Amino acid sequence: MMEEKYDDLAGLRDRAKAEVSKVVIGQDRTVELLLIAAVSHGHVLIEGPPGSAKTLLARAVAHMLGASFKRIQFTPDTTPAELNGSNAIRAGEHVFLPGAVFTNVLLADEINRTPPRTQAALFEPMQERQVTVDGKAHKLPDPFLVIATQNPHEHEGVFPLPEGQLDRFLFKITLEYADADSELQMLNLPHNGIAPDMLGEVRPLLGVVGLDKARQELEHTEVPESVGRYIVAVGRRTRELPGVELGVSSRAMIHLVNATKANARLNGRTTATIEDVREMAPYVLRHRIVVSGDTKVDTVLLDAMASVPTAVPPPVAPVP
Amino acid sequence: LAATNGKTGRGAIVALIVEAPYQSLGELREQAKVEIAKVVIGQERAVELLLVAALARGHVLLEGPPGSAKTLLARATAHMLGATFKRIQFTPDTSPAELTGSNAIRMGEKIFLPGAVFTNVLLADEINRTPPRTQAALLEAMQERQVTVDGKAHKLPDPFLVIATQNPYEHRDVFELPESQLDRFLFKIELEYADAQSEYQMLDLPHRGVAPDMLGEVRPLLGVVGLDRARVELDATALPEEVGRYMVALARQTRDLPGVELGVSSRGVMHLASAAKASARLSGRDEVTDEDVREIAPYVLRHRLIVEEGIKQDDILAKAFELVPAPARAFA
């Protein structure tokens, strides 16, 4: 591994941004979130229009992590076997031909263009970190990070992900086009948006060993009881607000605490704060809230956070 | 005519290297038009655009009715570039492996049989007749300039230029390219039948539209080495800040106009800049002007605009040009 040594996660954030910005300009926030997802074992759904550097971002982040990368373009006729792999007989020998999931970072492009059965085939490895082909389980490499993309403007042949499956993504990131100045800077990128083979410029920072170390650091991050209670209270509040059909799940709260820890670490702290929760909450919770009528998800989230006092007292009566 | 360089690597790539020195890119455009006019008449604009695409490392979508010389144009362009050429006719049952290649065992040895993409210029005929999985395989090769077969990556030759055609009048068994994939083509060229005078001249073409094996008449101008040199020149083309800002402002304007569902992407702006640079070079300048932008923009941007029903992409583009003030030209 040729990765640079890193001293702590705090320094890592700025260096990650500096490295990735050699090929992708104006998407710093997304780089940060992808880094958080990688250290906290989460998967990411990126929603954005075509040509907003989704593929390049995923590839650059994989490179920066010093990890292997694969991409699968989903189409209406993608089969589960392309993802998972299949058994074949080659020269009289039984061999397993691994599918696209056998990698560290998998870019699953346009996940909403493929039918539910193939989508489901992606969720098993995301969840179990292994695939089962012809009754035999095959372990996936670690780390295994799925970056799925969907295109909000596609109209024909779209299979929207059901709520149950959205819940498995740590983050949903809504990617916008970069601002005008960043777009101007892009015109001087050597790859011209055509042949993005400039990844050699991006220095790998972590590597598989480094990532393991980062994850250990993460586990030692302290979450004070008040912060934990705040997360639970905000989560439960989303289930009660008017106009909400489905609030956030228990899994969502666990995801939120992981992201909160990672955010605290990347800010150079060893203790998570309420501020970290507030910063991460939109990316972790927005896609899990199902609303009815004219209710907006963002409003629900803001209401939930506003209506929960930051110092949540422990419940007065013991929970039955 | 040409010295064949047996550069046989794992993909068995044979590059055709041709020594046909050109003086400057400015002259190249005229020469290219002259050469190709020996076999295709009345499509000078398309020839120019194909040359721009080859220099800017872009891919081209050609849309036109049957018999409007799409195949011949692509073949002649490849020949003029001094590059290898392959053609694949897409059908509803074309498989991704025909494009990318497959592994096989021959005489006990495992070998890779390269697919159609292992060439310099690939004519992908009637791309909208093949199902999405095969389309995706082509688009991936276009983007990555490599293909992965059974987990092993194989690099494609450089240059690699895809000229995909689609027939707008095909109605049965059509798999339209989704908008996200249209964005990956540098140009979409809408080919019309040539004008009456050109059609009259065609009657005297020696190949009579039947056996177009007259490509020997077309002199190769560039070759792989020449193309590389041309690209170095291209990269050195200056893009003044005000022209860059003009392009960015145009793209952002298309995103805000009423009737537009999806405007020009960041990738679209970057493609516009590369095409404008190539266009400036071919006009003999080493600096991009707003004129270059206006000239090339329709071909780069039109197919990326997703508009509501009843609205024309050309009107949106015209509106954007009207609303965004052109940069004040500095007179030297």
Side-chain angles (χ1 to χ4, degrees), chain B residues 52-323:
Chain B
V52 170
L55 291 180
R57 294 182 175 85
H59 306 286
V60 176
L61 182 62
L62 268 182
E63 193 172 273
S68 55
K70 296 189 291 290
T71 307
L72 196 51
L73 248 177
R75 198 181 271 273
T77 302
H79 198 83
M80 180 269 293
L81 293 173
T84 58
F85 176 84
K86 274 186 193 159
R87 171 175 179 276
I88 184 166
Q89 168 67 53
F90 280 122
T91 61
D93 48 359
T94 305
S95 72
E98 286 170 62
L99 266 174
T100 56
S102 53
N103 287 313
I105 294 178
R106 290 284 155 93
M107 304 204 289
E109 292 263 344
K110 209 174 133 167
I111 53 164
F112 175 65
L113 302 172
V117 295
F118 287 86
T119 182
N120 292 130
V121 178
L122 175 69
L123 177 66
D125 237 346
E126 298 188 274
I127 190 174
N128 55 344
R129 278 189 65 207
T130 206
R133 210 158 67 96
T134 310
Q135 291 176 347
L138 176 65
L139 288 154
E140 192 173 337
M142 280 166 52
Q143 187 84 351
E144 316 285 339
R145 285 155 204 278
Q146 66 173 35
V147 293
T148 310
V149 177
D150 291 347
K152 193 165 179 308
H154 301 267
K155 269 219 167 313
L156 298 185
D158 182 48
F160 176 58
L161 166 66
V162 171
I163 304 177
T165 75
Q166 64 182 12
N167 181 344
Y169 301 100
E170 200 90 48
H171 291 298
R172 258 183 303 166
D173 298 331
V174 165
F175 302 92
E176 245 184 274
L177 283 178
E179 44 255 43
S180 57
Q181 311 209 326
L182 280 177
D183 196 35
R184 305 195 182 172
F185 287 97
L186 177 63
F187 291 140
K188 177 173 161 187
I189 306 175
E190 283 167 25
L191 221 54
E192 309 279 346
Y193 290 121
D195 58 34
Q197 181 58 30
S198 303
E199 286 196 308
Y200 177 70
Q201 285 177 32
M202 281 176 214
L203 304 184
D204 286 332
L205 277 175
H207 63 63
R208 292 174 204 289
V210 177
D213 52 0
M214 302 301 301
L215 292 177
E217 303 275 301
V218 178
R219 272 187 312 164
L221 296 177
L222 266 171
V224 176
V225 178
L227 199 57
D228 254 357
R229 216 183 90 201
R231 282 172 175 177
V232 173
E233 261 188 66
L234 186 67
D235 286 339
T237 311
L239 176 66
E241 188 183 327
E242 67 271 15
V243 180
R245 286 203 184 280
Y246 181 56
M247 287 189 268
V248 171
L250 278 172
R252 298 181 76 87
Q253 184 67 60
T254 63
R255 298 175 196 159
D256 296 337
L257 286 174
V260 176
E261 283 180 22
L262 189 63
V264 172
S265 66
S266 302
R267 174 165 38 212
V269 190
M270 292 165 82
H271 280 186
L272 180 58
S274 319
K277 278 184 183 176
S279 181
R281 272 290 168 184
L282 290 174
S283 304
R285 279 176 282 108
D286 55 8
E287 193 176 273
V288 180
T289 66
D290 54 310
E291 266 312 312
D292 294 316
V293 177
R294 271 193 292 275
E295 199 187 312
I296 211 86
Y299 306 103
V300 183
L301 302 185
R302 213 158 27 191
H303 60 288
R304 302 169 202 253
L305 293 171
I306 311 300
V307 290
E308 286 166 15
E309 240 183 280
I311 294 195
K312 286 213 181 83
Q313 286 148 332
D314 282 332
D315 294 344
I316 295 292
L317 215 52
K319 188 86 189 148
F321 272 112
E322 189 189 312
L323 290 174

Side-chain angles (χ1 to χ4, degrees), chain A residues 95-160:
Chain A
V95 287
F96 175 65
L97 302 173
V101 294
F102 288 85
T103 183
N104 291 131
V105 178
L106 175 69
L107 177 66
D109 238 347
E110 298 189 276
I111 190 174
N112 57 343
R113 275 186 70 205
T114 207
R117 206 162 69 95
T118 310
Q119 290 176 349
L122 179 64
F123 289 109
E124 187 203 334
M126 273 171 60
Q127 190 82 354
E128 318 287 339
R129 286 158 204 278
Q130 67 172 33
V131 292
T132 312
V133 178
D134 295 343
K136 193 168 178 305
H138 300 267
K139 269 221 163 315
L140 297 186
D142 182 49
F144 177 60
L145 166 66
V146 172
I147 303 178
T149 76
Q150 60 181 13
N151 180 345
H153 298 278
E154 205 86 46
H155 293 299
E156 274 166 82
V158 168
F159 303 92

Side-chain angles (χ1 to χ4, degrees), chain A residues 24-29 52 175-187, chain B residues 244-245 247-249 251-252 255 265-266 269:
Chain A
V24 185
I25 293 174
Q27 301 291 7
D28 285 358
R29 189 69 180 142
S52 53
L175 211 59
E176 307 281 346
Y177 291 123
D179 58 39
D181 280 333
S182 303
E183 287 196 309
L184 182 67
Q185 282 179 48
M186 283 175 210
L187 303 186
Chain B
R245 286 203 184 280
M247 287 189 268
V248 171
R252 298 181 76 87
R255 298 175 196 159
S265 66
S266 302
V269 190

